[in-house]
Amino acid sequence: MATTDDEASAFRALADPTRRQILEDLRSGELAAGEIAARFAISAPSISRHLGVLKGAGLVTERRDGNRILYSLAEDRLATSIGRFLSSVCPEQIVLRHTKWRSATQEEGGTS
């Protein structure tokens, strides 16, 4: 049951476009809370609430660096939550994507 609750919190967090954009912004690496807030036309407290939801869902992690809070994407958690759901709903698509990815990787590496 805990896994279902964890996945539900991840999907609730992903339901908001601002939170999805924060995750996309963190894709390239760690950002301070102020840097994240500067990217949006909403208040810093609103961004802080969005970050709290993402952290509560386990989709971002935070660490302190002096007086700054730095956020980073919890890629494994995001991939596990989404992947588990997708594999239960459309398992054949997961197999197809993995096969296509493997084929593309082998072609780039020059092996078949």
Side-chain angles (χ1 to χ4, degrees):
M1 185 69 165
T3 300
T4 302
D5 291 342
D6 288 347
E7 287 176 5
S9 69
F11 279 100
R12 278 192 298 273
L14 292 170
D16 186 275
T18 299
R19 292 193 286 267
R20 290 193 307 269
Q21 184 60 53
I22 290 170
L23 293 175
E24 285 185 41
D25 291 348
L26 291 172
R27 177 182 59 206
S28 60
E30 191 173 64
L31 291 171
E35 293 172 313
I36 295 169
R39 296 169 181 235
F40 295 91
I42 60 177
S43 70
S46 291
I47 292 296
S48 181
R49 284 190 290 278
H50 284 298
L51 288 166
V53 170
L54 290 168
K55 183 181 172 200
L59 301 179
V60 298
T61 59
E62 70 175 27
R63 71 176 182 90
R64 289 206 171 266
D65 180 29
N67 63 349
R68 298 180 343 148
I69 300 175
L70 300 170
Y71 290 89
S72 55
L73 184 61
E75 293 176 15
D76 289 347
R77 168 80 167 108
L78 182 59
T80 300
S81 296
I82 303 303
R84 187 177 296 126
F85 173 75
L86 289 176
S87 66
S88 68
V89 173
C90 51
E92 63 281 352
Q93 292 299 315
I94 299 300
V95 170
L96 289 173
R97 288 186 68 209
H98 182 68
T99 303
K100 288 177 185 176
W101 174 81
R102 184 181 298 158
S103 296
T105 303
Q106 288 175 344
E107 287 173 11
E108 288 173 7
T111 60
S112 303

